[in-house]
Amino acid sequence: MTGSAWHGLAMNLGVTAATVLAVLLVTVAVAPPRGLHRIADVAWGIAFTAVAAVTCLLSAGRGNGTQRLLVTAITAVWGLRLAAHLAWRAHGGAEDPRYEQLLTKASGNRNLYALRTLYPLQAVLIWLVSLPVQAAQYARPPATHVTLLGLSLWAAGVTFEAVGDFQLARFKSDAANHGRILDHGLWAVTRHPNYFGDFLVWWGLYLTACGTWQTAALCLLSPLLMTFLLTRGCGKRRLEAHMAERPGYADYVALVSGFVPLPARQRKVTDADRSTRSSGESRGAEADLGSKRTSTAGSTGHGPVT
């Protein structure tokens, strides 16, 4: 990148910080009055899309035109699909249990607590994670094998996330599945296909910004931070802590990979299983995960149960 491009990127970072703040201010105007802070999840995808669009406008004449449009487009596809899905899922529903748990820490007004903690933190995270979306649009190098690898990871991630969300929504729409675990499709190889999809998306976007070693170094924080959030922060860890005591979920955890898709582990055969099988009262003690169903309580989280 040239000196002019770096100067442009520096200015861009300031403008996009204001853009993220504007999106969150709109969210603050909508969410607390309704008592539904889960609306902040919808704003997450919208804010990334806004950052990409603003950067595309500001980087005109500095970055590679094709790459600018491409990075903006793939960010918008991911962000708007996610926002639409979460808005549809939240429509008419109660507060997300994860936010309920977070707001129990409030010593006074819950909305004021959220305004002091939840929304400022989300703004900072969006701005930091979006670094590749911004830097990639100021880089002039033509597409390389690294860029193509990044696009492939992005495509795989969006597909994985969208298919996982579709399978879960279809499963929940059938009343016969109430209280049962979704253990087929992508949910048979990972307990969190949506989070794993996000993981691929952001490592893919990071690679599109690796045209120079300087931008690669600048943006490395983004996929590392997203990986932490998904696996140790507000994603997988918090959701599974919320669901840990639900009947049957421990069996699902024992059989299915927690993040990276892997073949389901075989369930150990116990003496009780052998006794049940010999009496003809079960479908088989060594049944694979796809044929095993376990009762569990409902969840409004982004997880594999209804």
Side-chain angles (χ1 to χ4, degrees):
M1 284 171 55
T2 64
S4 174
W6 280 108
H7 181 262
L9 177 58
M11 293 183 59
N12 195 98
L13 291 170
V15 175
T16 54
T19 300
V20 172
L21 181 60
V23 173
L24 268 296
L25 285 175
V26 173
T27 308
V28 166
V30 175
R34 299 186 180 186
L36 289 176
H37 295 284
R38 67 185 303 169
I39 295 174
D41 290 343
V42 179
W44 178 262
I46 293 174
F48 281 108
T49 302
V51 166
V54 167
T55 301
C56 189
L57 292 174
L58 295 179
S59 62
R62 287 192 170 97
N64 180 290
T66 300
Q67 179 153 308
R68 287 172 47 241
L69 294 175
L70 182 61
V71 171
T72 300
I74 63 177
T75 304
V77 167
W78 169 80
L80 294 179
R81 188 215 70 85
L82 179 62
H85 172 73
L86 293 176
W88 169 80
R89 196 184 69 180
H91 180 67
E95 183 63 279
D96 190 305
R98 293 171 298 164
Y99 286 112
E100 285 287 359
Q101 182 183 18
L102 177 67
L103 294 173
T104 57
K105 300 177 182 179
S107 57
N109 186 285
R110 285 157 55 103
N111 286 337
L112 290 178
Y113 178 80
L115 291 175
R116 294 195 308 267
T117 58
L118 172 64
Y119 295 97
L121 176 61
Q122 185 171 28
V124 172
L125 291 175
I126 291 170
W127 187 76
L128 289 174
V129 172
S130 70
L131 286 175
V133 174
Q134 301 181 62
Q137 298 194 53
Y138 281 87
R140 283 194 172 275
T144 64
H145 293 303
V146 174
T147 304
L148 295 177
L149 176 60
L151 293 175
S152 298
L153 284 178
W154 174 88
V158 167
T159 301
F160 216 86
E161 186 176 4
V163 170
D165 285 338
F166 172 76
Q167 289 176 342
L168 180 60
R170 184 175 60 179
F171 185 78
K172 285 185 173 184
S173 68
D174 187 347
N177 291 325
H178 182 71
R180 304 175 78 184
I181 292 178
L182 171 56
D183 56 12
H184 56 266
L186 296 181
W187 300 88
V189 294
T190 171
R191 300 196 297 275
H192 303 282
N194 34 28
Y195 293 159
F196 181 73
D198 262 355
F199 166 82
L200 293 181
V201 163
W202 283 99
W203 278 102
L205 283 168
Y206 166 70
L207 291 180
T208 67
C210 291
T212 67
W213 70 266
Q214 294 97 330
T215 53
L218 172 68
C219 300
L220 182 58
L221 175 63
S222 166
L224 292 176
L225 179 58
M226 182 59 86
T227 300
F228 173 80
L229 291 174
L230 292 170
T231 59
R232 302 293 181 183
C234 59
K236 171 180 176 290
R237 182 183 62 83
R238 180 169 291 177
L239 176 60
E240 295 202 338
H242 168 72
M243 299 172 63
E245 301 302 320
R246 295 175 182 266
Y249 192 68
D251 291 337
Y252 182 67
V253 169
L255 293 168
V256 178
S257 170
F259 194 69
V260 177
L262 294 170
R265 296 180 285 271
Q266 291 296 313
R267 184 167 64 90
K268 292 182 179 180
V269 181
T270 65
D271 290 340
D273 289 328
R274 294 188 182 94
S275 176
T276 302
R277 180 176 56 186
S278 64
S279 64
E281 296 177 354
S282 74
R283 292 171 295 174
E286 296 178 338
D288 61 21
L289 180 61
S291 63
K292 180 177 177 290
R293 296 291 184 181
T294 309
S295 174
T296 187
S299 170
T300 58
H302 205 34
V305 299
T306 57

